[in-house]
Amino acid sequence: GAFGKVVRLLTEVATSADDAEKKATKLVRQGGAKAIVGGGNDPLSQAIQAASTREGIIYLNTMSRSEALRGAPCHRLTFHVEASLAMYADAIGQWLVRGAKKTRWGFLTPETEAGAGTAERNVTPEGRVSVRVTPAAACVPSLRAVRV
């Protein structure tokens, strides 16, 4: 148990986004789930997030690194175990600019929704890589374009 309460682990396996949404809803309505932990590829994780948001329970996303679950689409009851690909690109970009003092670099992204989100978040309309660089003395992020 946890905190003196009995905890039951309910499991389901989903093979598609529709299936994931139905099974997440079933876990809540029939199984009494108070939270859903897990995920899958980006469409499955989005479906689970939609169901958990609709049902008003916590969703702990353990697999999707897509921007599609973060930012504006994120819900107050959705938490992410792993950073998004765009966050990793931001971190690497900050290190390249600040730590390694590199001004010419680029990155490749997969042809997936997560890859598109990474490119959308980190590449300017002019085709330049843009990273969010936080000055050491301040906590206010700024943008700095880096030539590719």
Side-chain angles (χ1 to χ4, degrees):
F3 304 108
K5 302 280 184 177
V6 174
V7 177
R8 291 185 307 141
L9 176 64
L10 308 170
T11 61
E12 289 284 352
V13 176
T15 57
S16 69
D18 285 341
D19 192 33
E21 190 161 356
K22 288 175 188 169
K23 288 185 176 177
T25 301
K26 176 183 163 192
L27 284 170
V28 175
R29 293 184 183 174
Q30 294 176 10
K34 304 297 183 204
I36 294 178
V37 178
N41 62 24
D42 296 341
L44 262 68
S45 296
Q46 288 172 323
I48 295 168
Q49 182 189 37
S52 63
T53 298
R54 185 180 58 251
E55 298 298 325
I57 65 163
I58 291 172
Y59 171 44
L60 187 60
N61 167 33
T62 61
M63 296 183 75
S64 176
R65 296 183 298 179
S66 171
E67 284 296 297
L69 295 173
R70 294 163 173 84
C74 193
H75 187 267
R76 65 184 179 86
L77 295 176
T78 299
F79 299 91
H80 306 280
V81 172
E82 185 163 10
S84 72
L85 292 177
M87 291 173 182
Y88 284 123
D90 274 349
I92 291 167
Q94 288 182 40
W95 177 81
L96 286 168
V97 171
R98 279 192 183 157
K101 308 294 184 210
K102 302 294 182 191
T103 57
R104 292 186 59 83
W105 54 274
F107 56 87
L108 301 173
T109 61
E111 291 184 4
T112 63
E113 191 172 331
T118 301
E120 181 180 300
R121 179 172 160 166
N122 293 295
V123 179
T124 68
E126 297 80 34
R128 294 183 178 202
V129 175
S130 174
V131 295
R132 290 156 184 82
V133 178
T134 306
C139 293
V140 180
S142 62
L143 293 178
R144 181 176 297 166
V146 181
R147 286 185 185 225
V148 177

